[in-house]
Structure formats: structure tokens, C-alpha cells
Amino acid sequence: MLTQQLSDFLHGLRYQDLPEQAVDSAKMCVEDLIGVAFAGSVLPQGKIWRRYISQQPQRPEATVWDGRLSRFSCENAAALNAAYSHVIDMDDVHNSSITHLGVVTIPTALAVGQKHHSSGREILAAIAAGYEAGARIGEAINPGAYHYWHTTGVVGSFSSAVAAGKLLGLTPEQFLSAMGSAGTQSAGLWQFIQDGAMSKTLHTANATLCGIRSAELAALGFTAARDILGGERGFLGAMTADHHPEALTRGLGSQPYQIQTNSFKPYACCRHTHSADYCVELLKKKYALDPARIVRITDYTYQVAKDNVDAPAPATPYGFKFSVQYCIAAAFLYGSLTDEVFSADKTNAPAARALMDKVTVVVDPALEGLYQADHNQWPHRLEVELDDGTRLIQQMEYPFGDFNNPFTWDDAHTKFFAVTKGILPRVEAEELTRRIAALEELNDINDLFSLPCAAVV
């Protein structure tokens, strides 16, 4: 039974099993996610979530990642942090599973860990196990499920349950039940994109709650389906007819762990645009390009990218983050793709709209072949024609931030300080990064957040 095999492996995974690179990756994931959560906390979606969660009874168990660093109950802190972290579309992504794993694993691990005074090493093992679960389950259903199902939402309950279950010290049988309960609560549909609605953050918040609930119920003896993944009426078959059960256990226990094949986002938009965005960045470095001279841009790419980000005329403000036409145009015109570039004045600028109209997206059989051969490759090739007939060509398989073109710690710190600027005092931001870098040395994860600005609510 595949569910049992995966569950037993995740249950047994310990900090000492992790290679140094996996530990380092996990710490970088923690820093990255906390940073983007701070950024999301001050935006309208984040403020709605804060108002909603604040109305509920609280116990000072876990830290909320906003300018106050106040403490809420474990479940509420995890849900709020998971919502904050998915607002600006800059949280990490696992390519081959098409999943944002940090946002559904780390809020749970840190909140449950704070409640139970877990050590930094226990936290890191729980995070690595949560990533392993979510990545493998995501690979087992994608790309077939991706048209309808927001993978982060539907696998997030598993990642959360695994992280919580390890920190609660569940027995192997309880751990299996936690996974069963997590799977039966999985949800998250893409329809919200059509309306530019806020459901994406609901998916991540809900996934953390489902996972914590599943683990806590299992600890009390609550049972669930033993083969939730591969059973006749289980998760894989429900998600898509084109599922790949072998992905659940392929190379289980061998290195690298899935957290080592994770990628970070330098641009505040859908990851399927990032290779195109990086092509623009490279072209601008090579040539003194005046965007006014561009006559035509052809973006050659793979089918999944065309299906998800070929949006020449977004119907909603949020839709511009899922429009490769806008992302290409904005990268040429504004020189960056921070969250501010997706404001109404930028997206509605006549120059941006005019350049968007010059972008055509085409599926290239060779690039589709690259993607099918290795789902870690999300390639784009830009062909830019200028008014004098000059044609400039740039192709990219692994954009900056990909694990094959990775962030350094300096890059991670630069992003963290940029997204927390004006929200967390710089001296405290620097202290927080130092503590994250030494996470494995903490005997109690609560010490991570004992900063001067922290408050008890």
C-alpha cells in the first residue's frame, strides 16, 4: 500500500537523516516565507485575514508574522501566517509538483512547534518531511490535475498534517490516520482566477487548519482511510485520471530530498512566467533596449505555461500576475516585477498595454519536449523584433531562483530585507535572519521570535 510506505518513511524521518544541504535549504525556506508573510500582512487581503482571525478567542501560543509579532492560538497563527504568505505571489515553489510547499508546511511547523516548545532540529525535520509529502503527492497528480485543482491547496493538507504529526509525536498508526484525514479534506479550485478573487489565500489557510486538525484528532485515536492516496475511491483517482502513483515512493529515502529541489521567486507573479521574465532581464543587460523600438515579441514555451499565463487582456487586476504578456511588458518598461508593479496605475499605463499587444505566446514542440522530459524545466524562448528588423533571441530553462540557478544566502537576505522594509525594523530583521541561520541550535523554537517588537495579544 503506497500510502503506508510513504507514511512510514515520513514518520521515521529525523534531523540526523538530513544532509547539510537539506538543512540549509530548509532554513532558507523559513526565511523566505516569513519575509513574504510580512509583505502580505500590510496589503488588503492580509488586513482582512487579520480582522477575521482577531475576532476569534486567542491563546498566546504562536507568533503571527506581521509588524506586531503578536501571539495567537496555534491554529489561528498558522492559518493567518499561511494566508499572509500567499498574498504577494513570492513564496517558494517546487517545480515538478507545481506546488508552493512552504506556505502549507512552515506556518504549521512553527505554530505547532511553538505551542509544544519543539527544538529547532525537530522543526527542520518536520519541515523537510512536509515538503517531501507535498512534492511527491503533487508529482503523482500533475500536470493532469492542474487545470482544475490548485495543487498547493489540495496537497497542502498532507504537508501540514505531516509536519504537525511529527511534532506531536504520533505513533506510525496515528500518523497514517492523520494523512487519511488530511486527504479527505483536500480542496482548492482554480475558478477564482476568472474573477480575480482572493481564494488562493483561503486555500493555504484552510490547508494548514486541515492538517493540524488531522494530526490532533489522530493523537486522540481518531481513525481515517488507510489508503487515502491510492485507494479505489482515494485522492489520486479523484484528482485526475492521469495520475502517477509511482511518484509517491520513487527513490524514497535517497538524496536529494525534495526540499533540495525547491525554488525561490524573485518576481511577484506566477512562476510559469519566470523564465520569460528572466529572458527580459538578460536581454536588457546585453543590449541597450528602448521598449518603444519593439515591433513584436514571440514567447515560445510549453503547454502548461500557455494554458495558465497566456492572458493578453486580463479581466481583473489580479489577473496581471497570471499574464505573461504583462509580465514581459512590465519587465521591459519598469525594470522589475515587485508587487508594486502590479498596481492599477502600472497595469493600466498606455505604454504597458501597447507593449502587451505585441506579445504572442506559442507552444514550441522542442520546449514542450523539455518540459515533458523533466518537469523541473519550465522553459521560455523570447524572440524580440525591433523596428530596424533586428531580431534578438534569448532562451531560459532555469530562471534565477530555480534550484538549478539558485539563490545564495546574500540573495535570500536581500529579498528578505526588501519585502520587510517599513514593516519590521531593520535591526530586528537582521537579528531574525541571524536566528534563522542558527535554527538547529535553538532548544525552544519560541526563542526565534523573542524580538523587542513582539507583543502578546
Side-chain angles (χ1 to χ4, degrees), residues 290-330:
D290 178 0
R293 294 189 56 207
I294 295 174
V295 174
R296 184 179 298 106
I297 301 173
T298 306
D299 176 22
Y300 294 96
T301 190
Y302 54 105
Q303 187 66 54
V304 171
K306 181 172 174 61
D307 290 344
N308 287 277
V309 296
D310 181 10
T316 66
Y318 189 64
F320 285 89
K321 292 197 170 198
F322 289 80
S323 167
V324 72
Q325 287 88 345
Y326 177 73
C327 292
I328 290 170

Side-chain angles (χ1 to χ4, degrees), residues 27 70 77 85 241-242 257 426:
K27 291 189 290 188
S70 50
S85 302
D242 181 25
Y257 287 95
R426 176 63 182 244

Side-chain angles (χ1 to χ4, degrees), residues 11 26 55 57 89 151 186 231 306 346:
H11 178 268
Q55 294 171 3
D89 287 293
T151 319
S186 295
K306 181 172 174 61
K346 299 290 189 184

Side-chain angles (χ1 to χ4, degrees), residues 316-351:
T316 66
Y318 189 64
F320 285 89
K321 292 197 170 198
F322 289 80
S323 167
V324 72
Q325 287 88 345
Y326 177 73
C327 292
I328 290 170
F332 271 119
L333 291 168
Y334 306 132
S336 70
L337 287 170
T338 61
D339 194 60
E340 291 78 10
V341 171
F342 296 88
S343 61
D345 61 324
K346 299 290 189 184
T347 58
N348 290 325

Side-chain angles (χ1 to χ4, degrees), residues 382-442:
L382 292 191
E383 297 191 5
V384 181
E385 183 179 340
L386 304 182
D387 54 8
D388 63 357
T390 300
R391 291 174 68 247
L392 307 175
I393 300 173
Q394 181 70 54
Q395 181 168 317
M396 181 55 55
E397 293 84 27
Y398 303 115
F400 177 51
D402 188 275
F403 72 95
N404 287 292
N405 186 8
F407 274 15
T408 65
W409 270 109
D410 284 343
D411 296 322
H413 295 335
T414 296
K415 178 180 174 181
F416 185 85
F417 296 139
V419 295
T420 60
K421 185 177 181 180
I423 307 170
L424 186 66
R426 176 63 182 244
V427 65
E428 297 191 3
E430 291 177 351
E431 177 60 23
L432 186 52
T433 62
R434 283 192 288 270
R435 294 184 188 187
I436 292 170
L439 197 60
E440 70 273 28
E441 298 175 12
L442 296 181

Side-chain angles (χ1 to χ4, degrees), residues 5-20:
Q5 292 179 50
L6 180 59
S7 178
D8 286 347
F9 170 76
L10 297 171
H11 178 268
L13 184 64
R14 296 290 180 265
Y15 173 83
Q16 53 266 34
D17 301 323
L18 300 174
E20 182 179 352

